[in-house]
Amino acid sequence: MSQPTIESVLQEKRLFHPPEAFSQSAHIKSMADYQALYDKAAADPQAFWAELAEQELHWFKKWDQVLDWQPPFAKWFVGGKLNISYNCLDRHLTTWRRNKAALIWEGEPGDSRTLTYAQLHREVCQMANVIKSLGVKKGDRVGLYMPMVPEAAIAMLACARIGAPHTVVFGGFSAEALKDRLNDATAKLVITADGGFRKDKTIPLKAAVDAAIANNSVPSVENVLVVQRTQQTVHMEPGRDHWWHERQVEASADCPAEEMDAEDMLFILYTSGTTGKPKGVVHTTGGYNLYTHMTLKWAFDIKDTDVYWCTADVGWITGHSYIVYGPLSNGATSLMYEGVPRPSNPGCFWDVVEKYGVNIFYTAPTAIRAFIKMGDDIPKARDLSSLRLLGTVGEPINPEAWMWYHSVIGGGKCPIVDTWWQTETGGFMLTPLPGATPTKPGSATKPFPGILADVVDLEGNPVGTNEGGYLVIQHPWPSMMRTVYGDDDRFRRTYWEHIPPKDGQYVYFAGDGARKDEDGYFWVMGRVDDVINVSGHRLGTMEVESALVSHPAVAEAAVVGRKDEIKGEDIFAFVTLEGTYNPSDELKNELKQHVVAEIGAIARPGEIRFADALPKTRSGKIIRRFLRNLASGEDLVGDASTMEDQSVLDKLREG
Ligand code: WTA
């Protein structure tokens, strides 16, 4: 029986080969090398991962069993003992890396700090001892609510060192959101700061913690450790609240890393942005350490000579895996930046690249589109010649944004790694290996070695070449989430039951639509709930958006479905314009024609609305459910507290 699939209409044919000089010095140098690794891993995934775990990580005790798979529950490196903070710190201290920069940090106001591996190790040990002195034991959860300062990474590593799982709550979330997460995790300690700098203002983090835990509303929290950042006035509750800088001077720098079981919980991270109670995604120690280590090494081709910068916040999985754990496990130099582009300094990212000679730069499509809108002059006024590799993550990248990133930021010489993955997957799943994989703008290309991915229909049957379907992973991988914290049932329902197991083989349902092209390249089309059904054709919103963005007048576009009596759903497009264009009815018609020309009449937007900005979560994802409400003239449904800028909605309503 044929199953409904998702119609794919984006046809992007440009191909970019890795520059030869890049390939020659890369860890993985050719498609033949990639294929050999891929085949070896596919033939025997357990042997593949075991060999790498032995080579790349330090173990106090080797595992007894590589994989224990009781679907949907996986255990990796069963019986093995290690500590990720040891792998990120201690093991480098006996090498020349001891005095290498581990973290380079730049604050928003322009202050900066560099911590060598030896310095970072010292501070992590001190903080670990302070955390212990506040009654936290192995297995107790610690909530982190921090600005982008080195102490955020220090606190994560300190928790890992003593075996206390951390749960980092993004500093932009409200007190209410913080309260829910701390309660779900029953955190014993909260580590925060007085405040943080954001867009030339200070954000009151400590006050938000006070509000979150006021009136015993989070009964598990016993103490609050406060890092001084902004020096704004804060209330310090005697007996409960403690200054880090006061405790640090008394703290011993001797704190051996706890021997953790490979399957001991490393952290909980709550996924955000959609409806319902946030899910506490659980990651454990051994598999996560190995997988983030390997993916950063091969997909970002990390070298000891690199300055590597990921612009994410540590509050997201990208910050966990690819600012802190992956880079430090590799002994790399990881740059942390507190600021974001803002009216007073739209070129701040490029200033940082120039100042530190950044070699590898990793950001999100939403940021890239914002840079395009600000104009080429800003990056062109800076020296970006140190860059050798670029990365992107978070949503499908529109081919035109990819091209801009490639030419204006990368100077035409830097491979782009478009990494598809999720909080749940822990690390990159689909990604080019930059010395090997020829890239196509908008495609995350191929699975990382050891990942068996496919595109299937709702019965689990593979769809044909270039047919849309559901992206699934067919074999467990080391950094897969282990469960939803405290809710195994929800874990099973959300990820393992949409597509029934075939012949006893369970598949992981990622919730994204995708297609595979004639070269086996994956094209992720966005969340499956972002699919619009127009006259029985199911269109990925992202492809219509990409068509709009390829018009010179369009900076950013978000497309949603609106009920239509005849077509089922009609396409409603919200569009922001490039600086030099003005809204007009003529332009609306031109854009509709443009989409028709790019994709076909089926995708002609029924309505286009011009906007100054689009509603986004603080992690930069467009909140489509609000746009859907606006498009159909309904009241807004759901919680707006995760929104970056509340005033955006009011403007959109005025239309
Ligand atoms: C989307 C972020 C297309 C996707 C690491 C996924 C992407 C969700 C890409 C996970 C990409 C992330 N191309 N889509 N390169 N990267 N996504 O949990 O819909 O914040 O399911 O993890 O972002 O978002 P999360």
Side-chain angles (χ1 to χ4, degrees):
M1 201 186 96
S2 104
Q3 287 292 318
T5 53
I6 303 159
E7 198 143 318
S8 170
V9 287
L10 178 73
Q11 296 293 339
E12 171 60 53
K13 296 289 182 206
R14 286 169 287 199
L15 189 69
F16 292 83
H17 289 278
E20 214 171 292
F22 190 102
S23 296
Q24 270 165 15
S25 62
H27 289 301
I28 313 296
K29 299 180 195 319
S30 68
M31 266 325 247
D33 288 358
Y34 162 78
Q35 200 60 48
L37 284 169
Y38 181 88
D39 292 344
K40 182 177 166 185
D44 189 347
Q46 295 193 33
F48 176 78
W49 291 118
E51 187 184 329
L52 292 171
E54 183 117 43
Q55 264 170 31
E56 301 282 333
L57 301 184
H58 169 272
W59 297 83
F60 297 116
K61 174 181 171 288
K62 204 181 149 173
W63 53 91
D64 308 310
Q65 187 187 359
V66 182
L67 172 64
D68 173 4
W69 177 223
Q70 320 254 357
F73 301 102
K75 292 182 181 154
W76 282 88
F77 307 112
V78 181
K81 303 274 184 202
L82 78 167
N83 187 298
I84 197 169
S85 115
Y86 187 98
N87 276 316
C88 287
L89 301 167
D90 305 52
R91 64 166 167 164
H92 304 311
L93 301 187
T94 53
T95 72
W96 67 271
R97 288 191 183 117
R98 180 180 180 83
N99 298 322
K100 172 184 174 173
L103 285 182
I104 296 176
W105 172 79
E106 175 86 3
E108 188 184 274
D111 46 345
S112 61
R113 246 182 111 187
T114 297
L115 286 122
T116 64
Y117 274 92
Q119 290 173 307
L120 184 61
H121 173 262
R122 182 180 160 78
E123 294 217 13
V124 167
C125 288
Q126 288 176 319
M127 189 166 309
N129 280 326
V130 171
I131 293 172
K132 279 201 270 193
S133 76
L134 296 174
V136 174
K137 297 196 178 53
K138 183 172 168 177
D140 291 339
R141 275 82 52 218
V142 176
L144 269 59
Y145 186 66
M146 296 287 283
M148 278 290 283
V149 293
E151 287 78 6
I154 291 167
M156 289 165 74
L157 291 160
C159 289
R161 196 164 186 85
I162 63 170
H166 52 71
T167 181
V168 184
V169 179
F170 173 58
F173 276 135
S174 62
E176 192 65 21
L178 175 63
K179 182 185 85 184
D180 292 344
R181 287 159 176 76
L182 292 175
N183 264 326
D184 191 79
T186 53
K188 202 165 178 187
L189 169 72
V190 179
I191 306 180
T192 188
D194 47 0
F197 292 104
R198 191 173 161 88
K199 296 193 176 174
D200 304 317
K201 296 196 182 87
T202 59
I203 43 169
L205 295 171
K206 175 62 168 62
V209 171
D210 292 342
I213 66 177
N215 307 318
N216 205 28
S217 55
V218 187
S220 57
V221 171
E222 292 171 2
N223 290 286
V224 179
L225 183 62
V226 188
V227 172
Q228 193 170 48
R229 168 63 184 136
T230 55
Q231 314 215 347
Q232 65 202 92
T233 313
V234 293
H235 167 75
M236 294 295 279
E237 183 73 22
R240 184 195 76 180
D241 298 348
H242 317 268
W243 285 110
W244 158 239
H245 61 273
E246 288 175 2
R247 289 303 191 102
Q248 186 184 10
V249 288
E250 302 157 4
S252 155
D254 180 23
C255 179
E258 195 75 35
E259 293 194 8
M260 303 301 291
D261 193 278
E263 279 299 326
D264 278 337
M265 182 160 66
L266 176 63
F267 63 84
I268 307 169
L269 187 58
Y270 289 86
T271 54
S272 63
T274 43
T275 48
K277 184 171 165 245
K279 296 189 284 279
V281 171
V282 171
H283 283 289
T284 58
T285 306
Y288 177 85
N289 190 355
L290 177 65
Y291 197 77
T292 52
H293 179 100
M294 288 318 304
T295 45
L296 188 78
K297 182 166 177 173
W298 287 349
F300 274 102
D301 190 44
I302 201 94
K303 304 270 173 49
D304 267 320
T305 43
D306 285 318
V307 174
Y308 158 81
W309 179 21
C310 165
T311 68
D313 190 282
V314 288
W316 311 121
I317 190 68
T318 310
H320 284 56
S321 299
Y322 298 113
I323 294 176
V324 181
Y325 292 117
L328 299 177
S329 181
N330 276 285
T333 297
S334 184
L335 192 147
M336 248 177 120
Y337 178 48
E338 185 184 27
V340 290
R342 50 204 182 274
S344 67
N345 194 353
C348 59
F349 274 16
W350 318 124
D351 288 337
V352 171
V353 169
E354 182 173 300
K355 177 172 174 186
Y356 294 101
V358 171
N359 307 106
I360 303 177
F361 178 72
Y362 187 30
T363 196
T366 180
I368 296 167
R369 291 192 301 262
F371 297 139
I372 297 174
K373 195 171 179 194
M374 289 182 233
D376 297 7
D377 297 353
I378 296 172
K380 283 188 172 153
R382 275 81 174 181
D383 179 3
L384 306 181
S385 61
S386 58
L387 291 171
R388 69 179 193 92
L389 179 59
L390 303 174
T392 152
V393 60
E395 59 180 311
I397 182 166
N398 321 99
E400 292 317 315
W402 194 103
M403 291 303 299
W404 183 90
Y405 197 29
H406 178 74
S407 60
V408 178
I409 303 306
K413 70 177 169 44
C414 302
I416 295 180
V417 285
D418 177 351
T419 59
W420 175 85
W421 59 297
Q422 307 176 296
T423 305
E424 293 88 338
T425 69
F428 311 149
M429 303 298 279
L430 302 174
T431 175
L433 303 185
T437 319
T439 50
K440 304 183 186 187
S443 169
T445 75
K446 300 203 165 215
F448 193 78
I451 298 305
L452 302 178
D454 206 353
V455 179
V456 301
D457 64 20
L458 274 179
E459 290 194 339
N461 304 307
V463 298
T465 300
N466 281 321
E467 273 180 34
Y470 302 94
L471 182 52
V472 295
I473 312 296
Q474 295 160 317
H475 189 278
W477 66 101
S479 66
M480 64 196 278
M481 75 182 284
R482 296 303 193 259
T483 190
V484 173
Y485 187 65
D487 199 344
D488 287 349
D489 226 42
R490 190 168 177 200
F491 173 59
R492 189 192 293 275
R493 276 199 320 273
T494 312
Y495 303 104
W496 303 93
E497 283 186 349
H498 288 280
I499 295 179
K502 262 174 93 98
D503 309 324
Q505 198 203 10
Y506 276 71
V507 295
Y508 170 81
F509 174 78
D512 281 341
R515 71 178 161 96
K516 240 185 345 177
D517 71 12
E518 52 285 352
D519 300 320
Y521 279 49
F522 286 77
W523 298 78
V524 177
M525 299 188 293
R527 304 294 303 166
V528 288
D529 49 12
D530 290 342
V531 163
I532 306 178
N533 192 326
V534 184
S535 308
H537 298 272
R538 307 174 77 192
L539 299 172
T541 50
M542 180 264 162
E543 298 180 303
V544 182
E545 290 163 7
S546 283
L548 284 163
V549 171
S550 73
H551 187 283
V554 176
E556 194 163 29
V559 159
V560 294
R562 176 175 60 176
K563 277 216 173 72
D564 183 279
E565 271 182 22
I566 295 170
K567 300 180 191 167
E569 267 185 301
D570 189 19
I571 295 175
F572 194 114
F574 294 85
V575 164
T576 65
L577 293 177
E578 292 284 354
T580 50
Y581 288 85
N582 291 315
S584 70
D585 285 343
E586 264 151 56
L587 184 55
K588 280 187 186 174
N589 287 331
E590 191 180 321
L591 292 178
K592 288 180 188 175
Q593 257 332 100
H594 181 71
V595 174
V596 172
E598 289 283 304
I599 301 178
I602 177 74
R604 174 198 289 274
E607 189 166 338
I608 290 180
R609 183 172 295 177
F610 294 119
D612 290 338
L614 299 173
K616 290 187 183 166
T617 63
R618 295 192 167 101
S619 64
K621 287 192 170 51
I622 292 167
I623 309 179
R624 284 167 208 282
R625 78 194 131 88
F626 288 153
L627 294 177
R628 277 195 284 268
N629 295 151
L630 287 167
S632 48
E634 300 161 357
D635 289 334
L636 298 186
V637 176
D639 172 22
S641 69
T642 60
M643 250 187 81
E644 163 82 323
D645 180 358
Q646 306 274 347
S647 68
V648 166
L649 281 179
D650 300 325
K651 288 204 189 121
L652 280 172
R653 250 192 231 108
E654 290 155 21

